[in-house]
Amino acid sequence: MDEQLHILTGSYALNALEGDERASFEQHALASEQTREEVRGLSAAAAMLAYGVEPVRPPQRVKDNVMAAIRNTRQVPAEAVVTDGAAGAAQRGHDGGVRPGAGADLRLGTGEGSGPEHGSAAGAGAGTDELGARRGRRSAGSGGSGRARPGGSRPGAVRALAAAAGVLLLAGAGLTGWALGQSTENNRLEQELAQAEQTQGAMLGILTSEDAKVATARMADGAVVSVAYAPSLNQGAVTAHGLPELPAGKTYELWLQHDDVMVPAGLMSGASAGSPMMALLEGQLSGATAVGITVEPAGGSPAPTTEPIMVQEL
Amino acid sequence: MRLPWLRPAEPSPPTHEDLVRRVALGDEAAFEELYDAVSPQVFGLIRRVVRDPAQSEEVTQEVFVEVWQQAARFDADRGRAVSWILVIAHRRAVDRIRAAQASADRDLRQGIKEFQESYDDVQDIVEAKIEGERVLKALESLTQAQQEAIRLAYYGGYTQQEVANLLKVPVGTVKTRIRDGMIRLRDKLGVA
């Protein structure tokens, strides 16, 4: 275990790490059950610190603004989440048709009976289907009609959220540092931010899930690539340190091997030159036998055009 | 067996968790009730971290809009609604001050001063607030150095590097203080 990184559990739980530090920590945590366990506990404790502040009633205008804003704000559809058994609670008493808490395998290891002490951060990562709405874009001009939009979202993403939700209270709070002033953000930045937060939120879910399997490979050039897979979430991710910088017009592409077919599983890039890369595996993980990485033309290819630089069996 | 003419007891008022469930289904009245119930705790936390009143109001709005959007993802099996909302609030508060920091470095001296003030506030926690009391007690069981580092990081929203600068100690020391303190806090609070 890397002591230098393990020791960051406390700071991580308090939201006190900066971007690169946090990325390194997360990669380490992926490979260390002991670290993940500690993160779970310390995050639960950190959430309690919020109660150490005296309540202050906000001015009435805040409420007025909020009430006005929600009328134009689309909600994450309850149906989609419930279908996944991720937030059965939301469904209780609705029609009784869905068993609540089906996502219980994602449970925090916070010990029995600790009940009310741990919160959850369901809002942690954004759903793929909600990227744009993520930062509270309140006047999306969508006419406010899409509320409670039914179904049709991607189970994987939703489940990742469920994971982030229960597993790590601070899933949400861990996503700082990508901070940008909301009011001045342009759309592109907003999208990137949402994407980054989503990836991180899902990443947290994976690395704190009880059944995550992690395989780490060191490549000839010294790069370290980890593949993490959490069967209970049907979610996986790849992180890489030290992969060579690619020339303009090239990108790293991820693949899932199903039988003899390589199915595209998303692109992978770093926040800046030399920084660690991290990407969620897109597509159907169950049944996949291996994960591969190739170098492809920018934008990615529908099928690999080069030899993989790495193949990791699942 | 219940006789048909016996009415069930007066229904108890909805819990915060009930309210969030209704919010997830688009119930604006439930949202308003939830807002009234939890906004003081949320605003209190945000003001502590963000400090600037106008920005604190903005962040509070962001938080509640997020609660509205994400309500379907709250899972009552895993914790209380207030905790869930407060976690969102802390994240957004920290986001906000780090963003501000990018344009104008926060004055660390000022930070120390405000930290001391915030320390005084913590002492004033309303007695009736059981959680507040427990947290305060648990915090007090830490060493002074641990408390200081954790308070600066959580209530001040400082990174561990900034905490080190503020306290004029190596960042390695801060990491250790925070971790040891948080472990003790976790054990005291019995959350894990």
Side-chain angles (χ1 to χ4, degrees):
Chain A
M1 180 175 48
D2 187 334
E3 289 297 332
Q4 286 307 103
L5 288 169
H6 179 76
I7 207 173
L8 297 179
T9 48
S11 300
Y12 184 74
L14 291 178
N15 256 340
L17 296 183
E18 282 159 73
D20 274 6
E21 235 173 4
R22 188 184 43 238
S24 304
F25 175 80
E26 285 176 345
Q27 192 179 31
H28 158 72
L30 262 181
S32 168
E33 170 53 30
Q34 198 183 343
T35 299
R36 294 201 298 274
E37 177 70 31
E38 193 165 298
V39 165
R40 285 193 284 268
L42 300 192
S43 297
M48 289 296 289
L49 288 171
Y51 295 106
V53 180
E54 198 175 353
V56 182
R57 187 163 291 284
Q60 177 65 30
R61 62 178 170 270
V62 175
K63 178 172 173 179
D64 296 342
N65 290 342
V66 168
M67 294 307 293
I70 64 163
R71 289 187 186 113
N72 290 317
T73 303
R74 218 170 41 173
Q75 290 183 292
V76 168
E79 327 286 314
V81 179
V82 168
T83 307
D84 267 342
Q91 182 81 349
R92 252 175 239 141
H94 187 210
D95 59 19
V98 176
R99 211 180 76 252
D105 49 332
L106 316 175
R107 196 165 289 285
L108 257 180
T110 51
E112 54 292 336
S114 61
E117 278 74 32
H118 54 84
S120 58
T128 313
D129 50 339
E130 286 293 318
L131 272 187
R134 175 71 182 98
R135 293 294 286 183
R137 187 187 298 167
R138 50 196 72 157
S139 52
S142 58
S145 56
R147 189 181 308 149
R149 197 160 37 94
S153 70
R154 307 186 200 174
V158 175
R159 244 178 243 136
L161 277 197
V167 181
L168 222 202
L169 338 164
L170 280 210
L175 307 180
T176 57
W178 300 84
L180 290 162
Q182 154 141 353
S183 49
T184 57
E185 263 164 27
N186 64 32
N187 284 345
R188 189 182 58 79
L189 282 175
E190 203 170 276
Q191 287 275 334
E192 278 178 15
L193 179 69
Q195 183 74 56
E197 289 192 347
Q198 187 213 352
T199 306
Q200 290 204 327
M203 192 71 180
L204 281 162
I206 294 166
L207 69 81
T208 54
S209 74
E210 303 283 357
D211 66 345
K213 293 192 196 107
V214 183
T216 297
R218 183 174 291 274
M219 329 238 309
D221 60 3
V224 178
V225 178
S226 301
V227 177
Y229 173 45
S232 64
L233 313 178
N234 187 30
Q235 185 85 30
V238 175
T239 65
H241 263 293
L243 279 183
E245 206 55 28
L246 292 178
K250 297 282 181 188
T251 182
Y252 288 107
E253 184 162 4
L254 307 175
W255 306 92
L256 284 167
Q257 183 175 356
H258 286 274
D259 299 320
D260 287 333
V261 182
M262 297 301 261
V263 181
L267 307 179
M268 181 170 72
S269 59
S272 58
S275 69
M277 299 182 193
M278 181 189 288
L280 296 183
L281 288 164
E282 294 167 11
Q284 184 54 253
L285 263 87
S286 66
T289 52
V291 172
I293 304 177
T294 64
V295 176
E296 300 293 335
S301 310
T305 62
T306 60
E307 285 299 307
I309 58 169
M310 188 219 74
V311 175
Q312 177 67 54
E313 292 190 4
L314 285 177
Chain B
M1 190 176 152
R2 180 182 292 165
L3 298 173
W5 59 82
L6 286 183
R7 295 195 180 267
E10 194 67 8
S12 52
T15 63
H16 298 152
E17 290 71 28
D18 295 335
L19 290 174
V20 174
R21 265 171 234 137
R22 282 163 50 194
V23 169
L25 301 170
D27 184 336
E28 289 182 19
F31 181 80
E32 187 169 359
E33 206 175 330
L34 182 69
Y35 177 92
D36 290 341
V38 306
S39 61
Q41 191 76 58
V42 169
F43 189 57
L45 174 63
I46 290 171
R47 256 198 13 174
R48 163 66 50 80
V49 177
V50 174
R51 301 188 188 113
D52 176 72
Q55 293 205 46
S56 299
E57 290 182 21
E58 280 177 35
V59 174
T60 303
Q61 286 167 210
E62 288 172 20
V63 168
F64 279 99
V65 171
E66 183 167 341
V67 167
W68 168 259
Q69 286 180 310
Q70 305 284 337
R73 298 200 164 121
F74 169 69
D75 182 349
D77 287 348
R78 298 209 176 83
R80 298 191 313 171
V82 191
S83 293
W84 173 61
I85 295 168
L86 288 169
V87 165
I88 295 174
H90 188 256
R91 166 169 53 87
R92 283 201 175 258
V94 170
D95 275 358
R96 176 58 68 108
I97 55 176
R98 303 250 165 100
Q101 206 171 21
S103 50
D105 244 19
R106 279 187 297 158
D107 184 344
L108 296 182
R109 288 251 137 249
Q110 182 64 10
I112 273 283
K113 189 171 150 282
E114 280 162 350
F115 158 64
Q116 263 143 9
E117 284 162 9
S118 82
Y119 185 91
D120 296 339
D121 289 352
V122 173
Q123 309 288 14
D124 292 339
I125 286 165
V126 190
E127 290 292 313
K129 296 231 74 141
I130 295 172
E131 293 92 342
E133 227 172 67
R134 283 184 61 217
V135 170
L136 184 56
K137 263 219 178 82
L139 268 174
E140 280 171 351
S141 75
L142 311 186
T143 68
Q144 200 60 40
Q146 290 168 350
Q147 284 189 46
E148 206 170 41
I150 289 173
R151 286 195 155 107
L152 280 169
Y154 186 83
Y155 298 119
Y158 292 102
T159 65
Q160 59 180 18
Q161 185 60 58
E162 291 171 324
V163 172
N165 296 346
L166 281 164
L167 299 177
K168 301 201 184 343
V169 297
V171 69
T173 307
V174 170
K175 294 174 189 173
T176 313
R177 282 180 189 173
I178 287 181
R179 174 164 174 262
D180 292 351
M182 288 304 293
I183 287 172
R184 188 165 174 87
L185 197 64
R186 173 196 70 194
D187 295 346
K188 279 278 164 188
L189 292 170
V191 287

PDB file of all heavy atoms in Angstrom, chain A residues 95-113:
ATOM      1  N   ASP A  95     -46.706   2.318  -6.247  1.00  0.00           N
ATOM      2  CA  ASP A  95     -47.597   1.269  -6.730  1.00  0.00           C
ATOM      3  C   ASP A  95     -47.237  -0.072  -6.107  1.00  0.00           C
ATOM      4  O   ASP A  95     -47.830  -1.078  -6.404  1.00  0.00           O
ATOM      5  CB  ASP A  95     -47.542   1.174  -8.261  1.00  0.00           C
ATOM      6  CG  ASP A  95     -46.146   0.879  -8.754  1.00  0.00           C
ATOM      7  OD1 ASP A  95     -45.323   0.403  -7.932  1.00  0.00           O
ATOM      8  OD2 ASP A  95     -45.861   1.107  -9.916  1.00  0.00           O
ATOM      9  N   GLY A  96     -46.255  -0.038  -5.266  1.00  0.00           N
ATOM     10  CA  GLY A  96     -45.887  -1.257  -4.568  1.00  0.00           C
ATOM     11  C   GLY A  96     -45.244  -2.278  -5.471  1.00  0.00           C
ATOM     12  O   GLY A  96     -44.901  -3.368  -5.029  1.00  0.00           O
ATOM     13  N   GLY A  97     -45.090  -1.936  -6.702  1.00  0.00           N
ATOM     14  CA  GLY A  97     -44.597  -2.928  -7.649  1.00  0.00           C
ATOM     15  C   GLY A  97     -43.081  -3.090  -7.643  1.00  0.00           C
ATOM     16  O   GLY A  97     -42.571  -4.031  -8.195  1.00  0.00           O
ATOM     17  N   VAL A  98     -42.425  -2.178  -7.027  1.00  0.00           N
ATOM     18  CA  VAL A  98     -40.974  -2.254  -7.048  1.00  0.00           C
ATOM     19  C   VAL A  98     -40.452  -2.411  -5.643  1.00  0.00           C
ATOM     20  O   VAL A  98     -40.811  -1.672  -4.751  1.00  0.00           O
ATOM     21  CB  VAL A  98     -40.383  -0.970  -7.669  1.00  0.00           C
ATOM     22  CG1 VAL A  98     -38.867  -1.013  -7.597  1.00  0.00           C
ATOM     23  CG2 VAL A  98     -40.857  -0.831  -9.104  1.00  0.00           C
ATOM     24  N   ARG A  99     -39.621  -3.349  -5.466  1.00  0.00           N
ATOM     25  CA  ARG A  99     -39.104  -3.564  -4.130  1.00  0.00           C
ATOM     26  C   ARG A  99     -38.108  -2.456  -3.806  1.00  0.00           C
ATOM     27  O   ARG A  99     -37.188  -2.208  -4.578  1.00  0.00           O
ATOM     28  CB  ARG A  99     -38.393  -4.910  -4.069  1.00  0.00           C
ATOM     29  CG  ARG A  99     -38.486  -5.554  -2.715  1.00  0.00           C
ATOM     30  CD  ARG A  99     -37.760  -6.883  -2.734  1.00  0.00           C
ATOM     31  NE  ARG A  99     -36.338  -6.715  -2.698  1.00  0.00           N
ATOM     32  CZ  ARG A  99     -35.534  -6.927  -3.716  1.00  0.00           C
ATOM     33  NH1 ARG A  99     -36.003  -7.304  -4.862  1.00  0.00           N
ATOM     34  NH2 ARG A  99     -34.239  -6.767  -3.597  1.00  0.00           N
ATOM     35  N   PRO A 100     -38.305  -1.821  -2.693  1.00  0.00           N
ATOM     36  CA  PRO A 100     -37.367  -0.750  -2.366  1.00  0.00           C
ATOM     37  C   PRO A 100     -35.991  -1.316  -2.022  1.00  0.00           C
ATOM     38  O   PRO A 100     -35.867  -2.459  -1.594  1.00  0.00           O
ATOM     39  CB  PRO A 100     -37.989  -0.086  -1.144  1.00  0.00           C
ATOM     40  CG  PRO A 100     -38.953  -1.067  -0.592  1.00  0.00           C
ATOM     41  CD  PRO A 100     -39.355  -1.975  -1.706  1.00  0.00           C
ATOM     42  N   GLY A 101     -35.037  -0.466  -2.222  1.00  0.00           N
ATOM     43  CA  GLY A 101     -33.704  -0.793  -1.738  1.00  0.00           C
ATOM     44  C   GLY A 101     -33.047  -1.938  -2.461  1.00  0.00           C
ATOM     45  O   GLY A 101     -32.208  -2.635  -1.925  1.00  0.00           O
ATOM     46  N   ALA A 102     -33.418  -2.139  -3.704  1.00  0.00           N
ATOM     47  CA  ALA A 102     -32.806  -3.230  -4.435  1.00  0.00           C
ATOM     48  C   ALA A 102     -31.330  -2.991  -4.657  1.00  0.00           C
ATOM     49  O   ALA A 102     -30.595  -3.876  -5.029  1.00  0.00           O
ATOM     50  CB  ALA A 102     -33.513  -3.438  -5.767  1.00  0.00           C
ATOM     51  N   GLY A 103     -30.921  -1.774  -4.432  1.00  0.00           N
ATOM     52  CA  GLY A 103     -29.500  -1.478  -4.615  1.00  0.00           C
ATOM     53  C   GLY A 103     -28.715  -1.720  -3.341  1.00  0.00           C
ATOM     54  O   GLY A 103     -27.637  -1.209  -3.162  1.00  0.00           O
ATOM     55  N   ALA A 104     -29.276  -2.528  -2.486  1.00  0.00           N
ATOM     56  CA  ALA A 104     -28.692  -2.662  -1.153  1.00  0.00           C
ATOM     57  C   ALA A 104     -27.297  -3.249  -1.163  1.00  0.00           C
ATOM     58  O   ALA A 104     -26.540  -3.091  -0.224  1.00  0.00           O
ATOM     59  CB  ALA A 104     -29.587  -3.522  -0.278  1.00  0.00           C
ATOM     60  N   ASP A 105     -26.955  -3.880  -2.253  1.00  0.00           N
ATOM     61  CA  ASP A 105     -25.605  -4.443  -2.297  1.00  0.00           C
ATOM     62  C   ASP A 105     -24.550  -3.345  -2.365  1.00  0.00           C
ATOM     63  O   ASP A 105     -23.372  -3.601  -2.285  1.00  0.00           O
ATOM     64  CB  ASP A 105     -25.487  -5.401  -3.485  1.00  0.00           C
ATOM     65  CG  ASP A 105     -25.996  -4.772  -4.754  1.00  0.00           C
ATOM     66  OD1 ASP A 105     -26.880  -3.894  -4.657  1.00  0.00           O
ATOM     67  OD2 ASP A 105     -25.515  -5.121  -5.817  1.00  0.00           O
ATOM     68  N   LEU A 106     -25.007  -2.137  -2.536  1.00  0.00           N
ATOM     69  CA  LEU A 106     -24.054  -1.037  -2.629  1.00  0.00           C
ATOM     70  C   LEU A 106     -23.818  -0.413  -1.263  1.00  0.00           C
ATOM     71  O   LEU A 106     -23.208   0.621  -1.142  1.00  0.00           O
ATOM     72  CB  LEU A 106     -24.608   0.053  -3.540  1.00  0.00           C
ATOM     73  CG  LEU A 106     -25.239  -0.431  -4.823  1.00  0.00           C
ATOM     74  CD1 LEU A 106     -25.834   0.733  -5.554  1.00  0.00           C
ATOM     75  CD2 LEU A 106     -24.205  -1.141  -5.653  1.00  0.00           C
ATOM     76  N   ARG A 107     -24.346  -1.051  -0.289  1.00  0.00           N
ATOM     77  CA  ARG A 107     -24.392  -0.461   1.048  1.00  0.00           C
ATOM     78  C   ARG A 107     -23.026  -0.036   1.572  1.00  0.00           C
ATOM     79  O   ARG A 107     -22.032  -0.679   1.381  1.00  0.00           O
ATOM     80  CB  ARG A 107     -24.959  -1.521   1.983  1.00  0.00           C
ATOM     81  CG  ARG A 107     -25.428  -1.007   3.275  1.00  0.00           C
ATOM     82  CD  ARG A 107     -26.283  -2.074   3.906  1.00  0.00           C
ATOM     83  NE  ARG A 107     -27.554  -2.222   3.214  1.00  0.00           N
ATOM     84  CZ  ARG A 107     -28.540  -1.359   3.330  1.00  0.00           C
ATOM     85  NH1 ARG A 107     -28.398  -0.278   4.063  1.00  0.00           N
ATOM     86  NH2 ARG A 107     -29.663  -1.572   2.701  1.00  0.00           N
ATOM     87  N   LEU A 108     -23.062   1.054   2.251  1.00  0.00           N
ATOM     88  CA  LEU A 108     -21.883   1.541   2.934  1.00  0.00           C
ATOM     89  C   LEU A 108     -21.467   0.580   4.019  1.00  0.00           C
ATOM     90  O   LEU A 108     -22.307   0.053   4.721  1.00  0.00           O
ATOM     91  CB  LEU A 108     -22.261   2.810   3.682  1.00  0.00           C
ATOM     92  CG  LEU A 108     -21.871   4.149   3.143  1.00  0.00           C
ATOM     93  CD1 LEU A 108     -22.372   5.185   4.100  1.00  0.00           C
ATOM     94  CD2 LEU A 108     -20.385   4.244   3.034  1.00  0.00           C
ATOM     95  N   GLY A 109     -20.217   0.456   4.206  1.00  0.00           N
ATOM     96  CA  GLY A 109     -19.795  -0.373   5.325  1.00  0.00           C
ATOM     97  C   GLY A 109     -19.732   0.431   6.602  1.00  0.00           C
ATOM     98  O   GLY A 109     -18.747   0.392   7.311  1.00  0.00           O
ATOM     99  N   THR A 110     -20.778   1.134   6.907  1.00  0.00           N
ATOM    100  CA  THR A 110     -20.672   1.996   8.085  1.00  0.00           C
ATOM    101  C   THR A 110     -21.177   1.317   9.331  1.00  0.00           C
ATOM    102  O   THR A 110     -21.427   1.941  10.330  1.00  0.00           O
ATOM    103  CB  THR A 110     -21.461   3.291   7.907  1.00  0.00           C
ATOM    104  OG1 THR A 110     -22.774   2.944   7.491  1.00  0.00           O
ATOM    105  CG2 THR A 110     -20.809   4.168   6.887  1.00  0.00           C
ATOM    106  N   GLY A 111     -21.358   0.061   9.274  1.00  0.00           N
ATOM    107  CA  GLY A 111     -21.673  -0.624  10.513  1.00  0.00           C
ATOM    108  C   GLY A 111     -23.155  -0.652  10.779  1.00  0.00           C
ATOM    109  O   GLY A 111     -23.900   0.213  10.351  1.00  0.00           O
ATOM    110  N   GLU A 112     -23.552  -1.648  11.490  1.00  0.00           N
ATOM    111  CA  GLU A 112     -24.967  -1.841  11.720  1.00  0.00           C
ATOM    112  C   GLU A 112     -25.496  -0.773  12.653  1.00  0.00           C
ATOM    113  O   GLU A 112     -24.829  -0.323  13.554  1.00  0.00           O
ATOM    114  CB  GLU A 112     -25.226  -3.242  12.274  1.00  0.00           C
ATOM    115  CG  GLU A 112     -24.434  -3.612  13.506  1.00  0.00           C
ATOM    116  CD  GLU A 112     -22.938  -3.767  13.228  1.00  0.00           C
ATOM    117  OE1 GLU A 112     -22.556  -4.030  12.082  1.00  0.00           O
ATOM    118  OE2 GLU A 112     -22.170  -3.603  14.178  1.00  0.00           O
ATOM    119  N   GLY A 113     -26.722  -0.411  12.383  1.00  0.00           N
ATOM    120  CA  GLY A 113     -27.402   0.466  13.302  1.00  0.00           C
ATOM    121  C   GLY A 113     -26.860   1.884  13.338  1.00  0.00           C
ATOM    122  O   GLY A 113     -27.246   2.672  14.171  1.00  0.00           O
TER     123      GLY A 113
END
